[in-house]
Amino acid sequence: MVAVPAVVSQAYERVTAEFDKLSSTQKYAVGAVGGLASLYLVGSYLFKSDNTKPTTLQLTGGSIDSAKVKAEFDAYADSYGKGAGEGIVDRSKTVQLVDVFYSLVTDIYEWGWGQSFHFSPKLPGKDLRASEAAHEARIAALLRIRPGMKVLDCGCGVGGPMRTIAAVSGAHVTGITINQYQVDRAKHHNAKQGVAPLTDVVRGDFLNMPFKENTFDGAYAIEATCHAPKLEQVYGEIFRVLKPGSYFVSYEWVSTAKFDAKNAEHVRIIDEINFGNGLPEMRTYKEAEDAGQTVGFELVMSLDLATASVVAGPWYERLRMGKYTHAINHAMVSAVDAVGLAPKGLKDVHHMLVEVARSLIQGGETGVFTPMHLLLFRKPEAPASK
């Protein structure tokens, strides 16, 4: 994901089309003016700093003390091996590293992407927000949930999908995330948007969840279980807390059948996606299917939504639409970093996200990666008592 102001995301298509018609000189002029305007807004809006709880979004280090942001980012970067396909070297530190990752990027994600930290296929005639909502509402339909049911959001982030799914289904959704800052943000948004009675958010490790067996009537994970050291661990926990006969939906980040481990370019793309998104490694879609079945789930559906429709636009189109704003935004973040209006190291975090945006686009264009392989699992009914 990359920082593109959320307030203008719905106008990207029109603006980008017009921008492409300009000459190089005109584009430079527009970029310069936009950059100056952005710098002015940063000082008055995004980087307010006082001792009171902010009422507007700030770009911070999340749960990390601002003085430690750079050191934490450097340690995060050093946790990845330098060899091709190596990923996180010490997988036992994955949970801690994911917590650090989301403290570093959550504000930037909200600022640039919105409250739903995921991709969505662009639907014909629909704007980005409508496409995003449809992608989330599909989950409620697949889970067969209704008012009075209890649903688990595994890796809920700041709760964008939770709010959509609770609203369209009437079910109560409990979200779990490893990051306390995201818990606080999700609760804030839930209350502000009027869905607090239908939601709850807890901090916890989805490899060892604080819920009893057979608690939930359904569960879902949106681009989240990819952070687990092993899929079997998180799938096994979800299986445990689901009631028999219930469904689990996951949108998985996986490599596709087009990925060739002997192709150096393919490996580079995947390695960069892993690093820029806090993933320990990249699994294949087949490995994800097998992991669910290994822990006891029945596989009901396996479908790559990135290629399932010939009329939906590419999932990475939103990244491509922002190509002219990436440099402006990074200059803006670099400037406020230089004058001390943002934590030292935030510039490095933003640079990482700008770079991984290119790799994600390449993953989509080559077809070697998808962030939305749909897996629908079912926990078998309990055996009838004799």
Side-chain angles (χ1 to χ4, degrees):
M1 300 178 186
V2 69
V4 181
V7 293
V8 298
S9 61
Q10 295 183 9
Y12 274 173
E13 293 156 281
R14 296 191 301 272
V15 172
T16 301
E18 293 301 317
F19 197 91
D20 282 336
K21 298 176 184 178
L22 301 178
S23 67
S24 297
T25 301
Q26 289 171 322
K27 288 177 181 176
Y28 178 83
V30 170
V33 172
L36 290 172
S38 296
L39 285 170
Y40 174 80
L41 289 173
V42 163
S44 61
Y45 177 66
L46 291 175
F47 292 95
K48 288 183 178 179
S49 179
D50 55 37
N51 294 324
T52 62
K53 187 172 179 62
T55 57
T56 56
L57 177 63
Q58 297 188 92
L59 299 188
T60 69
S63 300
I64 299 172
D65 184 273
S66 60
K68 299 179 180 179
V69 168
K70 180 168 176 53
E72 290 286 2
F73 177 76
D74 290 344
Y76 168 82
D78 290 342
S79 69
Y80 280 80
K82 308 307 178 188
E86 194 168 356
I88 293 177
V89 176
D90 185 352
R91 298 295 166 85
S92 68
K93 296 181 179 179
T94 300
V95 174
Q96 174 192 352
L97 290 169
V98 170
D99 187 12
V100 169
F101 175 81
Y102 277 110
S103 279
L104 293 170
V105 305
T106 289
D107 278 345
I108 294 177
Y109 276 9
E110 277 203 63
W111 170 49
W113 200 260
Q115 296 171 18
S116 294
F117 297 173
H118 63 78
F119 293 100
S120 309
K122 178 67 168 61
L123 301 181
K126 303 297 182 183
D127 64 17
L128 293 169
R129 295 304 179 206
S131 299
E132 181 178 87
H135 193 54
E136 295 166 359
R138 177 192 291 114
I139 288 174
L142 289 170
L143 292 179
R144 288 91 161 156
I145 53 177
R146 58 185 182 274
M149 286 186 166
K150 297 170 65 177
V151 181
L152 172 67
D153 182 331
C154 195
C156 64
V158 298
M162 170 194 303
R163 291 183 280 280
T164 298
I165 291 168
V168 301
S169 70
H172 185 279
V173 182
T174 297
I176 185 170
T177 171
I178 192 65
N179 186 261
Q180 182 61 47
Y181 186 66
Q182 291 191 332
V183 171
D184 297 339
R185 293 297 298 166
K187 287 184 175 181
H188 166 77
H189 292 309
N190 291 350
K192 187 175 181 180
Q193 297 179 35
V195 296
L198 285 177
T199 58
D200 189 21
V201 190
V202 300
R203 184 186 184 188
D205 180 357
F206 60 26
L207 303 179
N208 185 24
M209 292 190 280
F211 310 119
K212 295 180 180 179
E213 294 182 5
N214 306 327
T215 295
F216 296 100
D217 300 291
Y220 64 89
I222 302 179
E223 304 181 23
T225 54
C226 51
H227 292 295
K230 291 185 64 178
L231 276 179
E232 289 84 354
Q233 289 178 283
V234 61
Y235 282 0
E237 268 294 272
I238 294 170
F239 184 91
R240 180 183 67 82
V241 301
L242 270 182
K243 294 178 182 178
S246 299
Y247 292 87
F248 164 51
V249 176
S250 186
Y251 292 160
E252 283 292 344
W253 281 40
V254 294
S255 59
T256 70
K258 292 184 178 181
F259 174 75
D260 180 1
K262 296 180 181 179
N263 185 311
E265 184 68 3
H266 290 184
V267 173
R268 177 193 64 79
I269 291 170
I270 295 299
D271 280 348
E272 291 176 359
I273 291 174
N274 288 341
F275 171 69
N277 292 279
L279 309 188
E281 63 179 356
M282 186 69 67
R283 290 96 187 195
T284 68
Y285 75 94
K286 186 65 170 60
E287 287 172 333
E289 292 176 355
D290 292 344
Q293 293 173 308
T294 296
V295 302
F297 279 119
E298 299 169 349
L299 179 62
V300 179
M301 184 188 304
S302 178
L303 179 67
D304 182 6
L305 295 177
T307 57
S309 173
V310 296
V311 293
W315 61 266
Y316 50 88
E317 185 62 21
R318 188 173 177 183
L319 293 177
R320 290 200 305 199
M321 286 192 297
K323 60 185 178 180
Y324 295 120
T325 66
H326 299 176
I328 293 173
N329 282 352
H330 192 59
M332 176 175 65
V333 174
S334 298
V336 296
D337 176 86
V339 297
L341 291 177
K344 285 296 180 184
L346 187 71
K347 177 181 68 174
D348 300 323
V349 178
H350 190 270
H351 177 71
M352 174 185 72
L353 298 181
V354 171
E355 290 297 309
V356 78
R358 299 191 183 101
S359 303
L360 286 164
I361 292 171
Q362 292 169 354
E365 290 175 338
T366 59
V368 302
F369 166 76
T370 176
M372 55 184 69
H373 193 102
L374 166 64
L375 294 175
L376 176 61
F377 293 110
R378 180 178 181 270
K379 183 173 179 176
E381 295 281 1
S385 58
K386 295 182 180 180

